[in-house]
Amino acid sequence: MSLFGDGLDAAVQKAFTRPAPKSAPAQMRYLVKRLKSTKAVAQMLRISQRTVERYVKDQIKKPRPDLAARLEREVKKRWQPQIRARARHKAATTGGIVIDTRARMGYTAPIGSTDQDRIRHLTVALPPPYAARLFDAQEAGATDARLQEIAAEALKEVYFQDNGRRAGSLEEVRFTDIEHLEFDL
């Protein structure tokens, strides 16, 4: 499971104007329409082409829990692509992104300062350039660790250094033991 990637996806999904299909047959029909063949859907979901056809014809209605989760994830990944792109573009150019997290944070600073790691609950509005970096990295297939690094850099700049007004000698922010993470556009 990708904590940061899933969090970014969930934030973008809040911009959807219509709900994604709920029933398994409707989800399967949507995927077949998007991927243009039952064979492509079957390969993606790791099931037989015949099983896909039976869902499309409403002969099977209730998938196994693991298949239901994969099906829902794949539908949401493809649902309303223009609205998804518009929401990402707006966040990356004008709106920015809000990160709400409860995690252990500390930093590397000169000797004599209190750089002790501790659990902090932060809700911070990150400016558009950081939203753009997060979405671009996610699009490029960045690992969760890389997305976490970008978020830590953003928190260092915006929260700890207050955009250059304090803690100028701060070198690195450690962002670990994440208990809660949520993004909002």
Side-chain angles (χ1 to χ4, degrees), residues 95-109:
I97 193 168
V98 175
I99 182 172
D100 179 61
T101 186
R102 182 171 161 76
R104 180 170 302 282
M105 285 185 221
Y107 42 84
T108 307

Side-chain angles (χ1 to χ4, degrees), residues 129-146:
Y130 285 108
R133 283 183 62 198
L134 282 165
F135 285 129
D136 290 346
Q138 183 190 29
E139 201 86 8
T143 63
D144 224 39
R146 179 64 190 131

Side-chain angles (χ1 to χ4, degrees), residues 84-103:
R84 178 186 307 272
R86 202 174 312 131
R88 285 175 163 214
H89 178 74
K90 182 178 176 216
T93 55
T94 56
I97 193 168
V98 175
I99 182 172
D100 179 61
T101 186
R102 182 171 161 76

Side-chain angles (χ1 to χ4, degrees), residues 14 21 26-27 32-33 48 68 75 77 91 140-141 143 152 154-155 177 184:
K14 291 176 187 170
Q27 290 173 330
V32 168
K33 193 168 133 186
S48 74
V75 167
K77 202 187 292 182
T143 63
L155 289 171
D177 301 339
D184 209 352

